[in-house]
Amino acid sequence: MSDRFHDNAPEIVRAVVVDPDIDVHVRAGGESPPARRYEESRLEEAVGLAMALDLEIAGTMSVRVRKLNPATLFGEGKVSEIKVLCEEAEASLCVVNGSLTPIQQRNLEKKLEVKVVDRTGLILEIFGRRARTGEGKLQVELARLEYERSRLVRTWTHLERQRATGTTGGPGETQIELDRRMIADKIKQLKSELEEVRRTRGLHRNQRKKVPYPIVALVGYTNAGKSTLFNNLTKSEVFAKDLLFATLDTTLRSLRLPNGRSAILSDTVGFISDLPHELVAAFRATLEEVEQADLILHVRDVSNPETEAQKKDVEQVMAHILPDLDRSRMVEVWNKIDLLDDETKDVLYARAVTDRANNKPLMVSAITGEGVAALLNQVALLVDAEGEELDIALEPHQGDLIAFLYQHGRVLGRHEDEEGRVHLRVKLSDQAYGRYEKMTGRV
């Protein structure tokens, strides 16, 4: 556990999780949350976030907030109840499933006499642990510094010192001013490094565009089973676990489709409700692969009672991050049907057949493999939907071109004439046709 949560962090940290159930009319600006959740579901998700950091959950509490307290968020009575819970649970950490201002966080720590971390800090800590690529680490570090810049008053213990400057030894900048300047310099440096990483990634993406493989991207709420489905489709071993934010970094693998064509499958970071604004930029960079995808598969956990709310969360975050995304390229994949009883499964199957708004959702179980073959067939059809039908005649010795057309196009018809020439009716994407022209020396 990071010492940002506990100064002398033991191997196991006992924590209590508090979920503030804030009435809509008291939210800042009267703004409604992205998706209203039941108390148990909100609390359960908060516990899942805490468990993702290997915290020992010693107690939970859902607290109705009818009036926001600018000093502590909760009223004095509720703060006292939370303190009793912390004492009885012998907890050294209190997780608040909401956003706290630096003042609220500091005041709660004084009153509760334990460390306090809010939802943003918790998610940042998870991202910090799970990021594996250089870009992912840079994004998380940048988000963490921007989050902590306003919390120096509680993060550092030496802020009362003042550093002398000049030859007179007179008063100089205070330590907190120095620390803020150092953080600002570090943020500037990280942004510069990230810009270079994105430029390099953009070059790699342009190189991939020259290869006529369609890109299929997986998106979905965290823990919807994207990585498990990714492994099933590509026969890979990407880390997949029943854990919130099990994987963070975008992963690309080759996908073999039933019609013999190849595609590139992209697994992206999971979404979550009330995404901390510090991480919006990190999500935007991660989802650039989605914006370039030929087909987007929205993976949903239909066994979760909050699946509709999770769907809205994903759609709203994507609308915010990728406002120009073409939604017609998105198809829903209803995952985890192995967890449903037969009656519920039959109802969903009937609904999926008639749900044309979502291009007829596909029902699968990434664990058992049920429905995966049908999913692959549908993906093959959808990625072939784009492109132009062409009539191409090839000599018998041009086997390499014939093989290319079968691998990178959709052959709709074939016959051979008396001279042995092969006549193909084939559908090719613009990229595949461009490469075909290069192979034949036309460009």
Side-chain angles (χ1 to χ4, degrees):
M1 187 69 188
S2 169
D3 59 5
R4 290 198 297 277
F5 291 172
H6 199 280
D7 293 333
N8 299 299
E11 292 185 2
I12 298 178
V13 175
R14 290 176 61 84
V16 298
V17 178
V18 178
D19 176 51
D21 183 11
I22 304 175
D23 286 349
V24 175
H25 70 278
V26 301
R27 290 179 179 270
E31 183 178 341
S32 299
R36 185 69 171 171
R37 288 194 173 11
Y38 296 108
E39 290 184 14
E40 291 183 3
S41 298
R42 289 198 312 269
L43 189 57
E44 182 180 344
E45 182 175 89
V47 169
L49 288 170
M51 292 178 65
L53 286 176
D54 300 321
L55 297 176
E56 180 181 340
I57 309 304
T60 62
M61 178 184 293
S62 182
V63 180
R64 179 61 62 88
V65 179
R66 301 186 184 280
K67 183 178 180 181
L68 293 177
N69 186 330
T72 56
L73 179 64
F74 309 103
E76 289 296 325
K78 294 300 182 182
V79 172
S80 299
E81 292 180 21
I82 297 172
K83 183 175 182 180
V84 171
L85 176 64
C86 292
E87 292 173 347
E88 292 179 347
E90 298 181 353
S92 59
L93 176 68
C94 177
V95 176
V96 177
N97 187 34
S99 296
L100 295 174
T101 66
I103 292 176
Q104 289 172 339
Q105 188 171 2
R106 184 173 71 252
N107 289 340
L108 281 174
E109 286 184 343
K110 289 180 179 179
K111 291 179 177 295
L112 300 179
E113 298 180 346
V114 297
K115 288 290 182 181
V116 174
V117 60
D118 66 0
R119 181 183 177 88
T120 299
L122 196 65
I123 294 176
L124 283 172
E125 185 75 7
I126 296 172
F127 272 51
R129 289 193 181 189
R130 303 280 167 74
R132 292 291 179 267
T133 65
E135 181 185 10
K137 292 176 180 178
L138 286 174
Q139 289 172 344
V140 173
E141 179 65 9
L142 176 60
R144 185 184 65 80
L145 287 174
E146 290 180 336
Y147 172 74
E148 290 191 347
R149 178 163 52 178
S150 63
R151 298 166 192 266
L152 282 175
V153 69
R154 70 167 294 274
T155 304
W156 300 80
T157 59
H158 54 285
L159 302 182
E160 69 282 358
R161 296 202 305 267
Q162 193 170 48
R163 179 170 302 196
T165 58
T167 57
T168 62
E173 60 183 343
T174 61
Q175 186 65 42
I176 190 170
E177 291 170 343
L178 176 63
D179 290 334
R180 281 175 177 161
R181 182 164 56 81
M182 290 174 63
I183 285 183
D185 291 343
K186 182 64 175 177
I187 287 175
K188 183 178 179 180
Q189 176 189 343
L190 287 173
K191 286 183 175 179
S192 176
E193 292 179 21
L194 267 174
E195 196 58 40
E196 179 62 23
V197 170
R198 288 167 183 156
R199 187 189 68 82
T200 303
R201 187 150 51 89
L203 293 175
H204 291 166
R205 187 182 298 111
N206 290 334
Q207 288 296 321
R208 287 201 302 273
K209 286 182 178 179
K210 297 178 182 179
V211 180
Y213 294 144
I215 298 176
V216 180
L218 300 177
V219 300
Y221 204 82
T222 182
N223 210 28
K226 297 189 315 317
S227 295
T228 303
L229 181 61
F230 182 89
N231 289 338
N232 191 310
L233 293 174
T234 62
K235 311 306 177 187
S236 302
E237 295 183 358
V238 172
F239 179 67
K241 191 176 180 180
D242 186 14
L243 196 69
L244 297 181
F245 296 119
T247 54
L248 291 180
D249 299 303
T250 300
T251 307
L252 303 174
R253 292 288 188 278
S254 177
L255 174 66
R256 192 70 171 176
L257 298 175
N259 58 4
R261 290 190 64 188
S262 294
I264 296 174
L265 188 64
S266 170
D267 185 20
T268 60
V269 64
F271 291 76
I272 195 167
S273 63
D274 302 325
L275 177 69
H277 66 86
E278 288 88 355
L279 285 171
V280 168
F283 266 68
R284 182 179 291 111
T286 303
L287 292 175
E288 285 177 0
E289 296 292 344
V290 176
E291 198 165 25
Q292 301 297 323
D294 298 278
L295 178 64
I296 303 167
L297 300 180
H298 179 185
V299 182
R300 292 176 54 188
D301 175 7
V302 290
S303 70
N304 191 312
E306 292 297 309
T307 182
E308 290 296 332
Q310 291 177 354
K311 171 187 174 179
K312 292 179 181 178
D313 287 330
V314 171
E315 291 177 343
Q316 289 190 8
V317 173
M318 289 189 68
H320 176 63
I321 296 177
L322 303 174
D324 299 326
L325 185 66
D326 181 5
R327 296 294 192 273
S328 65
R329 292 183 282 133
M330 186 179 296
V331 176
E332 289 189 6
V333 178
W334 293 355
N335 189 28
K336 301 191 182 183
I337 61 175
D338 56 294
L339 300 180
L340 303 176
D341 57 59
D342 292 339
E343 182 180 352
T344 303
K345 192 183 299 186
D346 290 341
V347 171
L348 283 180
Y349 266 117
R351 176 181 158 194
V353 170
T354 59
D355 192 351
R356 299 189 180 277
N358 296 308
N359 294 323
K360 292 187 178 180
L362 299 160
M363 295 181 60
V364 304
S365 168
I367 291 290
T368 67
E370 181 181 354
V372 170
L375 171 62
L376 282 172
N377 286 327
Q378 187 66 14
V379 169
L381 288 174
L382 290 172
V383 297
D384 278 342
E386 300 294 331
E388 184 178 355
E389 293 185 14
L390 304 168
D391 291 309
I392 299 176
L394 298 171
E395 299 296 333
H397 66 274
Q398 294 179 297
D400 57 335
L401 291 177
I402 295 174
F404 173 85
L405 293 174
Y406 269 94
Q407 183 177 8
H408 301 291
R410 184 181 177 191
V411 177
L412 304 174
R414 169 176 175 159
H415 73 273
E416 298 177 8
D417 61 23
E418 295 178 354
E419 286 77 25
R421 282 177 297 193
V422 179
H423 295 262
L424 297 176
R425 179 70 173 173
V426 60
K427 192 169 193 176
L428 288 178
S429 67
D430 292 341
Q431 291 177 341
Y433 184 66
R435 187 172 175 186
Y436 169 77
E437 286 189 315
K438 287 183 179 180
M439 294 177 67
T440 56
R442 298 182 183 182
V443 293

mmCIF file of all heavy atoms in Angstrom, residues 187-220:
data_model
loop_
_atom_site.group_PDB
_atom_site.id
_atom_site.type_symbol
_atom_site.label_atom_id
_atom_site.label_comp_id
_atom_site.label_asym_id
_atom_site.label_seq_id
_atom_site.Cartn_x
_atom_site.Cartn_y
_atom_site.Cartn_z
ATOM 1 N N ILE A 187 5.131 18.478 -14.134
ATOM 2 C CA ILE A 187 3.945 18.314 -14.988
ATOM 3 C C ILE A 187 4.260 18.750 -16.417
ATOM 4 O O ILE A 187 3.886 18.072 -17.385
ATOM 5 C CB ILE A 187 2.765 19.126 -14.418
ATOM 6 C CG1 ILE A 187 2.215 18.444 -13.147
ATOM 7 C CG2 ILE A 187 1.657 19.276 -15.450
ATOM 8 C CD1 ILE A 187 1.133 19.232 -12.455
ATOM 9 N N LYS A 188 4.956 19.864 -16.557
ATOM 10 C CA LYS A 188 5.332 20.346 -17.885
ATOM 11 C C LYS A 188 6.216 19.342 -18.605
ATOM 12 O O LYS A 188 6.045 19.065 -19.802
ATOM 13 C CB LYS A 188 6.049 21.699 -17.754
ATOM 14 C CG LYS A 188 6.424 22.325 -19.085
ATOM 15 C CD LYS A 188 7.083 23.683 -18.873
ATOM 16 C CE LYS A 188 7.471 24.302 -20.209
ATOM 17 N NZ LYS A 188 8.118 25.629 -20.023
ATOM 18 N N GLN A 189 7.165 18.755 -17.862
ATOM 19 C CA GLN A 189 8.060 17.758 -18.439
ATOM 20 C C GLN A 189 7.295 16.513 -18.888
ATOM 21 O O GLN A 189 7.517 15.984 -19.981
ATOM 22 C CB GLN A 189 9.140 17.375 -17.426
ATOM 23 C CG GLN A 189 10.077 16.268 -17.910
ATOM 24 C CD GLN A 189 10.988 15.767 -16.802
ATOM 25 O OE1 GLN A 189 11.161 16.429 -15.775
ATOM 26 N NE2 GLN A 189 11.574 14.601 -16.998
ATOM 27 N N LEU A 190 6.364 16.048 -18.025
ATOM 28 C CA LEU A 190 5.591 14.853 -18.356
ATOM 29 C C LEU A 190 4.721 15.076 -19.587
ATOM 30 O O LEU A 190 4.585 14.192 -20.435
ATOM 31 C CB LEU A 190 4.723 14.447 -17.164
ATOM 32 C CG LEU A 190 5.453 13.815 -15.973
ATOM 33 C CD1 LEU A 190 4.487 13.622 -14.808
ATOM 34 C CD2 LEU A 190 6.075 12.483 -16.362
ATOM 35 N N LYS A 191 4.119 16.260 -19.684
ATOM 36 C CA LYS A 191 3.281 16.556 -20.848
ATOM 37 C C LYS A 191 4.115 16.542 -22.128
ATOM 38 O O LYS A 191 3.651 16.075 -23.180
ATOM 39 C CB LYS A 191 2.598 17.913 -20.670
ATOM 40 C CG LYS A 191 1.459 17.901 -19.655
ATOM 41 C CD LYS A 191 0.784 19.250 -19.569
ATOM 42 C CE LYS A 191 -0.427 19.192 -18.637
ATOM 43 N NZ LYS A 191 -1.107 20.506 -18.518
ATOM 44 N N SER A 192 5.350 17.034 -22.037
ATOM 45 C CA SER A 192 6.230 17.034 -23.198
ATOM 46 C C SER A 192 6.587 15.601 -23.595
ATOM 47 O O SER A 192 6.586 15.248 -24.782
ATOM 48 C CB SER A 192 7.496 17.833 -22.892
ATOM 49 O OG SER A 192 8.403 17.772 -23.966
ATOM 50 N N GLU A 193 6.888 14.758 -22.599
ATOM 51 C CA GLU A 193 7.224 13.365 -22.871
ATOM 52 C C GLU A 193 6.022 12.624 -23.458
ATOM 53 O O GLU A 193 6.176 11.805 -24.374
ATOM 54 C CB GLU A 193 7.693 12.672 -21.592
ATOM 55 C CG GLU A 193 9.033 13.187 -21.076
ATOM 56 C CD GLU A 193 9.449 12.485 -19.787
ATOM 57 O OE1 GLU A 193 8.946 11.379 -19.518
ATOM 58 O OE2 GLU A 193 10.271 13.057 -19.042
ATOM 59 N N LEU A 194 4.840 12.904 -22.927
ATOM 60 C CA LEU A 194 3.637 12.246 -23.441
ATOM 61 C C LEU A 194 3.358 12.653 -24.888
ATOM 62 O O LEU A 194 2.917 11.827 -25.699
ATOM 63 C CB LEU A 194 2.434 12.613 -22.570
ATOM 64 C CG LEU A 194 2.119 11.657 -21.423
ATOM 65 C CD1 LEU A 194 0.997 12.224 -20.561
ATOM 66 C CD2 LEU A 194 1.729 10.288 -21.948
ATOM 67 N N GLU A 195 3.608 13.909 -25.202
ATOM 68 C CA GLU A 195 3.382 14.376 -26.565
ATOM 69 C C GLU A 195 4.292 13.624 -27.537
ATOM 70 O O GLU A 195 3.874 13.261 -28.649
ATOM 71 C CB GLU A 195 3.647 15.884 -26.653
ATOM 72 C CG GLU A 195 3.088 16.545 -27.894
ATOM 73 C CD GLU A 195 1.585 16.362 -28.024
ATOM 74 O OE1 GLU A 195 0.875 16.451 -27.005
ATOM 75 O OE2 GLU A 195 1.133 16.117 -29.157
ATOM 76 N N GLU A 196 5.523 13.367 -27.114
ATOM 77 C CA GLU A 196 6.452 12.627 -27.962
ATOM 78 C C GLU A 196 6.004 11.172 -28.121
ATOM 79 O O GLU A 196 6.084 10.606 -29.212
ATOM 80 C CB GLU A 196 7.864 12.679 -27.349
ATOM 81 C CG GLU A 196 8.921 11.922 -28.132
ATOM 82 C CD GLU A 196 9.130 12.477 -29.535
ATOM 83 O OE1 GLU A 196 8.816 13.663 -29.761
ATOM 84 O OE2 GLU A 196 9.613 11.719 -30.400
ATOM 85 N N VAL A 197 5.525 10.585 -27.023
ATOM 86 C CA VAL A 197 5.027 9.207 -27.086
ATOM 87 C C VAL A 197 3.832 9.127 -28.028
ATOM 88 O O VAL A 197 3.722 8.199 -28.844
ATOM 89 C CB VAL A 197 4.636 8.708 -25.675
ATOM 90 C CG1 VAL A 197 3.882 7.381 -25.761
ATOM 91 C CG2 VAL A 197 5.867 8.545 -24.806
ATOM 92 N N ARG A 198 2.915 10.086 -27.937
ATOM 93 C CA ARG A 198 1.735 10.082 -28.801
ATOM 94 C C ARG A 198 2.131 10.281 -30.265
ATOM 95 O O ARG A 198 1.523 9.696 -31.166
ATOM 96 C CB ARG A 198 0.763 11.184 -28.361
ATOM 97 C CG ARG A 198 0.055 10.854 -27.053
ATOM 98 C CD ARG A 198 -0.648 12.051 -26.490
ATOM 99 N NE ARG A 198 -1.268 11.738 -25.210
ATOM 100 C CZ ARG A 198 -1.544 12.639 -24.281
ATOM 101 N NH1 ARG A 198 -1.267 13.906 -24.492
ATOM 102 N NH2 ARG A 198 -2.105 12.274 -23.136
ATOM 103 N N ARG A 199 3.139 11.118 -30.493
ATOM 104 C CA ARG A 199 3.597 11.312 -31.867
ATOM 105 C C ARG A 199 4.138 10.002 -32.437
ATOM 106 O O ARG A 199 3.835 9.622 -33.572
ATOM 107 C CB ARG A 199 4.680 12.397 -31.908
ATOM 108 C CG ARG A 199 5.103 12.802 -33.313
ATOM 109 C CD ARG A 199 6.324 13.706 -33.278
ATOM 110 N NE ARG A 199 7.490 12.969 -32.826
ATOM 111 C CZ ARG A 199 8.224 12.196 -33.634
ATOM 112 N NH1 ARG A 199 7.898 12.073 -34.916
ATOM 113 N NH2 ARG A 199 9.273 11.568 -33.170
ATOM 114 N N THR A 200 4.933 9.295 -31.628
ATOM 115 C CA THR A 200 5.485 8.010 -32.066
ATOM 116 C C THR A 200 4.377 7.001 -32.304
ATOM 117 O O THR A 200 4.394 6.250 -33.288
ATOM 118 C CB THR A 200 6.466 7.466 -31.011
ATOM 119 O OG1 THR A 200 7.504 8.433 -30.790
ATOM 120 C CG2 THR A 200 7.076 6.155 -31.463
ATOM 121 N N ARG A 201 3.378 6.983 -31.400
ATOM 122 C CA ARG A 201 2.265 6.046 -31.556
ATOM 123 C C ARG A 201 1.458 6.377 -32.806
ATOM 124 O O ARG A 201 0.949 5.493 -33.483
ATOM 125 C CB ARG A 201 1.365 6.091 -30.315
ATOM 126 C CG ARG A 201 0.278 5.036 -30.307
ATOM 127 C CD ARG A 201 -0.071 4.646 -28.890
ATOM 128 N NE ARG A 201 -0.356 5.794 -28.071
ATOM 129 C CZ ARG A 201 -1.571 6.340 -27.941
ATOM 130 N NH1 ARG A 201 -2.575 5.812 -28.592
ATOM 131 N NH2 ARG A 201 -1.767 7.375 -27.158
ATOM 132 N N GLY A 202 1.344 7.673 -33.097
ATOM 133 C CA GLY A 202 0.652 8.065 -34.317
ATOM 134 C C GLY A 202 1.371 7.567 -35.564
ATOM 135 O O GLY A 202 0.740 7.130 -36.531
ATOM 136 N N LEU A 203 2.707 7.584 -35.538
ATOM 137 C CA LEU A 203 3.485 7.060 -36.657
ATOM 138 C C LEU A 203 3.256 5.560 -36.810
ATOM 139 O O LEU A 203 3.123 5.048 -37.927
ATOM 140 C CB LEU A 203 4.976 7.355 -36.458
ATOM 141 C CG LEU A 203 5.387 8.828 -36.506
ATOM 142 C CD1 LEU A 203 6.862 8.979 -36.175
ATOM 143 C CD2 LEU A 203 5.095 9.416 -37.890
ATOM 144 N N HIS A 204 3.223 4.857 -35.664
ATOM 145 C CA HIS A 204 2.965 3.420 -35.717
ATOM 146 C C HIS A 204 1.578 3.137 -36.272
ATOM 147 O O HIS A 204 1.382 2.182 -37.041
ATOM 148 C CB HIS A 204 3.096 2.820 -34.317
ATOM 149 C CG HIS A 204 4.494 2.826 -33.799
ATOM 150 N ND1 HIS A 204 4.807 2.592 -32.470
ATOM 151 C CD2 HIS A 204 5.685 3.037 -34.418
ATOM 152 C CE1 HIS A 204 6.111 2.675 -32.300
ATOM 153 N NE2 HIS A 204 6.665 2.935 -33.466
ATOM 154 N N ARG A 205 0.604 3.967 -35.890
ATOM 155 C CA ARG A 205 -0.754 3.771 -36.384
ATOM 156 C C ARG A 205 -0.810 3.986 -37.891
ATOM 157 O O ARG A 205 -1.487 3.257 -38.615
ATOM 158 C CB ARG A 205 -1.712 4.732 -35.679
ATOM 159 C CG ARG A 205 -3.178 4.481 -36.020
ATOM 160 C CD ARG A 205 -4.094 5.472 -35.356
ATOM 161 N NE ARG A 205 -4.012 5.387 -33.905
ATOM 162 C CZ ARG A 205 -3.482 6.315 -33.126
ATOM 163 N NH1 ARG A 205 -2.995 7.418 -33.671
ATOM 164 N NH2 ARG A 205 -3.436 6.169 -31.829
ATOM 165 N N ASN A 206 -0.064 4.989 -38.374
ATOM 166 C CA ASN A 206 -0.038 5.228 -39.814
ATOM 167 C C ASN A 206 0.606 4.067 -40.557
ATOM 168 O O ASN A 206 0.198 3.740 -41.679
ATOM 169 C CB ASN A 206 0.722 6.526 -40.109
ATOM 170 C CG ASN A 206 -0.042 7.763 -39.663
ATOM 171 O OD1 ASN A 206 -1.264 7.738 -39.587
ATOM 172 N ND2 ASN A 206 0.672 8.836 -39.359
ATOM 173 N N GLN A 207 1.598 3.442 -39.929
ATOM 174 C CA GLN A 207 2.217 2.270 -40.547
ATOM 175 C C GLN A 207 1.224 1.119 -40.625
ATOM 176 O O GLN A 207 1.178 0.390 -41.613
ATOM 177 C CB GLN A 207 3.458 1.852 -39.740
ATOM 178 C CG GLN A 207 4.641 2.788 -39.876
ATOM 179 C CD GLN A 207 5.177 2.823 -41.304
ATOM 180 O OE1 GLN A 207 5.243 1.816 -41.996
ATOM 181 N NE2 GLN A 207 5.545 4.016 -41.755
ATOM 182 N N ARG A 208 0.409 0.958 -39.546
ATOM 183 C CA ARG A 208 -0.573 -0.126 -39.543
ATOM 184 C C ARG A 208 -1.642 0.103 -40.605
ATOM 185 O O ARG A 208 -2.204 -0.844 -41.152
ATOM 186 C CB ARG A 208 -1.240 -0.249 -38.169
ATOM 187 C CG ARG A 208 -0.341 -0.831 -37.108
ATOM 188 C CD ARG A 208 -1.168 -1.403 -35.969
ATOM 189 N NE ARG A 208 -2.028 -0.425 -35.357
ATOM 190 C CZ ARG A 208 -1.667 0.387 -34.367
ATOM 191 N NH1 ARG A 208 -0.439 0.338 -33.892
ATOM 192 N NH2 ARG A 208 -2.520 1.248 -33.860
ATOM 193 N N LYS A 209 -1.925 1.374 -40.906
ATOM 194 C CA LYS A 209 -2.930 1.669 -41.918
ATOM 195 C C LYS A 209 -2.504 1.167 -43.292
ATOM 196 O O LYS A 209 -3.338 0.893 -44.150
ATOM 197 C CB LYS A 209 -3.193 3.179 -41.980
ATOM 198 C CG LYS A 209 -4.011 3.713 -40.817
ATOM 199 C CD LYS A 209 -4.268 5.196 -40.975
ATOM 200 C CE LYS A 209 -5.118 5.738 -39.844
ATOM 201 N NZ LYS A 209 -5.355 7.191 -39.979
ATOM 202 N N LYS A 210 -1.182 1.056 -43.492
ATOM 203 C CA LYS A 210 -0.689 0.579 -44.777
ATOM 204 C C LYS A 210 -0.892 -0.931 -44.919
ATOM 205 O O LYS A 210 -0.816 -1.464 -46.025
ATOM 206 C CB LYS A 210 0.786 0.927 -44.923
ATOM 207 C CG LYS A 210 1.052 2.431 -44.937
ATOM 208 C CD LYS A 210 2.530 2.734 -45.038
ATOM 209 C CE LYS A 210 2.780 4.243 -45.011
ATOM 210 N NZ LYS A 210 4.221 4.574 -45.077
ATOM 211 N N VAL A 211 -1.100 -1.610 -43.792
ATOM 212 C CA VAL A 211 -1.403 -3.038 -43.826
ATOM 213 C C VAL A 211 -2.916 -3.187 -43.847
ATOM 214 O O VAL A 211 -3.598 -2.676 -42.963
ATOM 215 C CB VAL A 211 -0.821 -3.759 -42.588
ATOM 216 C CG1 VAL A 211 -1.147 -5.240 -42.631
ATOM 217 C CG2 VAL A 211 0.686 -3.531 -42.507
ATOM 218 N N PRO A 212 -3.474 -3.856 -44.832
ATOM 219 C CA PRO A 212 -4.929 -3.864 -45.008
ATOM 220 C C PRO A 212 -5.657 -4.781 -44.036
ATOM 221 O O PRO A 212 -6.408 -5.653 -44.438
ATOM 222 C CB PRO A 212 -5.082 -4.346 -46.453
ATOM 223 C CG PRO A 212 -3.906 -5.230 -46.668
ATOM 224 C CD PRO A 212 -2.781 -4.593 -45.901
ATOM 225 N N TYR A 213 -5.422 -4.604 -42.751
ATOM 226 C CA TYR A 213 -6.133 -5.373 -41.751
ATOM 227 C C TYR A 213 -7.137 -4.467 -41.055
ATOM 228 O O TYR A 213 -6.766 -3.393 -40.553
ATOM 229 C CB TYR A 213 -5.175 -5.944 -40.694
ATOM 230 C CG TYR A 213 -4.207 -6.980 -41.223
ATOM 231 C CD1 TYR A 213 -2.914 -7.050 -40.718
ATOM 232 C CD2 TYR A 213 -4.583 -7.880 -42.214
ATOM 233 C CE1 TYR A 213 -2.021 -8.000 -41.188
ATOM 234 C CE2 TYR A 213 -3.700 -8.826 -42.692
ATOM 235 C CZ TYR A 213 -2.411 -8.881 -42.174
ATOM 236 O OH TYR A 213 -1.536 -9.823 -42.644
ATOM 237 N N PRO A 214 -8.394 -4.856 -41.000
ATOM 238 C CA PRO A 214 -9.364 -4.048 -40.248
ATOM 239 C C PRO A 214 -9.055 -4.096 -38.757
ATOM 240 O O PRO A 214 -8.504 -5.082 -38.252
ATOM 241 C CB PRO A 214 -10.700 -4.720 -40.575
ATOM 242 C CG PRO A 214 -10.341 -6.127 -40.933
ATOM 243 C CD PRO A 214 -8.999 -6.049 -41.595
ATOM 244 N N ILE A 215 -9.401 -3.028 -38.048
ATOM 245 C CA ILE A 215 -9.175 -2.948 -36.603
ATOM 246 C C ILE A 215 -10.506 -3.102 -35.879
ATOM 247 O O ILE A 215 -11.472 -2.410 -36.190
ATOM 248 C CB ILE A 215 -8.514 -1.608 -36.220
ATOM 249 C CG1 ILE A 215 -7.145 -1.472 -36.889
ATOM 250 C CG2 ILE A 215 -8.375 -1.495 -34.708
ATOM 251 C CD1 ILE A 215 -6.466 -0.143 -36.631
ATOM 252 N N VAL A 216 -10.548 -4.021 -34.928
ATOM 253 C CA VAL A 216 -11.730 -4.262 -34.105
ATOM 254 C C VAL A 216 -11.357 -3.927 -32.666
ATOM 255 O O VAL A 216 -10.403 -4.480 -32.123
ATOM 256 C CB VAL A 216 -12.206 -5.726 -34.209
ATOM 257 C CG1 VAL A 216 -13.443 -5.938 -33.351
ATOM 258 C CG2 VAL A 216 -12.479 -6.100 -35.663
ATOM 259 N N ALA A 217 -12.096 -3.015 -32.040
ATOM 260 C CA ALA A 217 -11.776 -2.570 -30.683
ATOM 261 C C ALA A 217 -12.829 -3.039 -29.694
ATOM 262 O O ALA A 217 -14.029 -3.030 -29.997
ATOM 263 C CB ALA A 217 -11.668 -1.050 -30.638
ATOM 264 N N LEU A 218 -12.380 -3.450 -28.517
ATOM 265 C CA LEU A 218 -13.268 -3.822 -27.426
ATOM 266 C C LEU A 218 -13.355 -2.672 -26.435
ATOM 267 O O LEU A 218 -12.327 -2.144 -26.004
ATOM 268 C CB LEU A 218 -12.752 -5.068 -26.696
ATOM 269 C CG LEU A 218 -12.598 -6.354 -27.509
ATOM 270 C CD1 LEU A 218 -12.013 -7.455 -26.632
ATOM 271 C CD2 LEU A 218 -13.923 -6.801 -28.089
ATOM 272 N N VAL A 219 -14.574 -2.274 -26.069
ATOM 273 C CA VAL A 219 -14.780 -1.274 -25.026
ATOM 274 C C VAL A 219 -15.830 -1.819 -24.062
ATOM 275 O O VAL A 219 -16.553 -2.759 -24.382
ATOM 276 C CB VAL A 219 -15.238 0.091 -25.595
ATOM 277 C CG1 VAL A 219 -14.217 0.657 -26.559
ATOM 278 C CG2 VAL A 219 -16.594 -0.036 -26.270
ATOM 279 N N GLY A 220 -15.904 -1.221 -22.885
ATOM 280 C CA GLY A 220 -16.909 -1.666 -21.936
ATOM 281 C C GLY A 220 -16.578 -1.215 -20.527
ATOM 282 O O GLY A 220 -15.489 -0.710 -20.247
#
